[in-house]
């Protein structure tokens, strides 16, 4: 088993829609980023690469590469998972995510975000945890200028069919 931690932070200020965990938040300003700015998916991708000992998302998805400009961050996460599987035979077992933001309120969208992330990670939703936090008014996040995300992933070695039973829960 291998553990990875990921982190991302983006400022508000884009005219693009705000997307977190694959879910759009209408009425909120977008995040300034080279891709679509989904800091949740970026942090999980960073964690997966870390667990595999493959560096970080900047190594594979630099903001200087036009291929990733305005890209859907689910493609970044999918590619990071593919790299971990291909190079280290590692597959996700569970993920825990902290979204630190004064806005937007994640509320009822947390379940939708978990479902979308679980789909990309090929995990049951109960193996994807998502928590919303505020920064208590401190720093750029607390002033509502940015969103910060921390992600922790547990990955296990082996082909994915060995990791889960037919019910979708871990098989080992």
């Amino acid at each position: 088993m291998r553990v990875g931690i990921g982190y991302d932070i983006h400022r508000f200020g884009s005219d693009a829609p705000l997307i977190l965990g694959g879910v759009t938040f209408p009425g909120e300003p977008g995040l300034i980023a080279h891709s679509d700015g989904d800091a949740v998916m970026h942090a999980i991708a960073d964690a997966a690469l870390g667990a595999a000992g493959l560096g970080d998302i900047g190594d594979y998805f630099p903001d200087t590469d036009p291929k990733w400009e305005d890209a859907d961050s689910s493609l970044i996460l999918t590619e990071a998972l593919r790299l971990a599987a291909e190079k280290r035979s590692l597959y996700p077992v569970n993920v825990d995510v902290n979204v630190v933001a004064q806005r937007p309120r994640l509320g009822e969208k947390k379940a939708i975000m978990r479902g979308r992330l679980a789909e990309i990670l090929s995990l049951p939703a109960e193996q994807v945890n998502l928590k919303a936090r505020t920064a208590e008014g401190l720093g750029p996040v607390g002033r509502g200028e940015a969103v910060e995300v921390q992600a922790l992933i547990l990955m296990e070695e082996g082909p994915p069919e060995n990791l889960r039973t037919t019910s979708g829960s871990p098989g080992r």
Side-chain angles (χ1 to χ4, degrees):
M1 292 189 159
R2 306 274 299 260
V3 175
I5 187 167
Y7 174 83
D8 200 23
I9 186 169
H10 286 285
R11 289 181 313 213
F12 287 105
S14 169
D15 292 334
L18 175 63
I19 302 170
L20 293 172
V23 175
T24 302
F25 288 81
E28 294 285 346
L31 296 171
I32 298 170
H34 185 65
S35 68
D36 67 8
D38 189 331
V40 173
M41 291 209 196
H42 295 176
I44 298 170
D46 201 40
L49 291 169
L54 295 174
D56 62 53
I57 63 172
D59 296 332
Y60 297 91
F61 315 102
D63 62 8
T64 55
D65 187 343
K67 174 182 179 181
W68 301 107
E69 187 171 1
D70 298 324
D72 181 329
S73 292
S74 67
L75 300 174
I76 291 171
L77 177 53
T78 299
E79 179 65 8
L81 294 169
R82 186 193 68 75
L83 288 165
E86 179 183 284
K87 296 182 181 289
R88 302 289 191 263
S89 296
L90 290 171
Y91 299 88
V93 175
N94 78 300
V95 174
D96 192 24
V97 178
N98 275 324
V99 179
V100 187
Q102 294 302 119
R103 64 178 178 153
R105 295 288 196 196
L106 302 185
E108 61 209 36
K109 291 199 177 196
K110 282 189 348 185
I112 300 166
M113 293 166 71
R114 282 180 68 195
R116 177 73 178 120
L117 294 168
E119 177 185 322
I120 294 166
L121 293 160
S122 298
L123 291 172
E126 51 274 358
Q127 288 171 233
V128 177
N129 194 46
L130 185 76
K131 300 175 296 236
R133 308 271 189 239
T134 69
E136 302 294 330
L138 299 172
V141 174
R143 289 189 302 268
E145 299 169 3
V147 171
E148 179 180 40
V149 180
Q150 305 154 345
L152 187 68
I153 192 167
L154 175 64
M155 299 184 85
E156 194 168 14
E157 198 175 318
E161 60 272 8
N162 289 344
L163 298 178
R164 300 174 220 357
T165 65
T166 55
S167 67
S169 59
R172 290 189 187 173

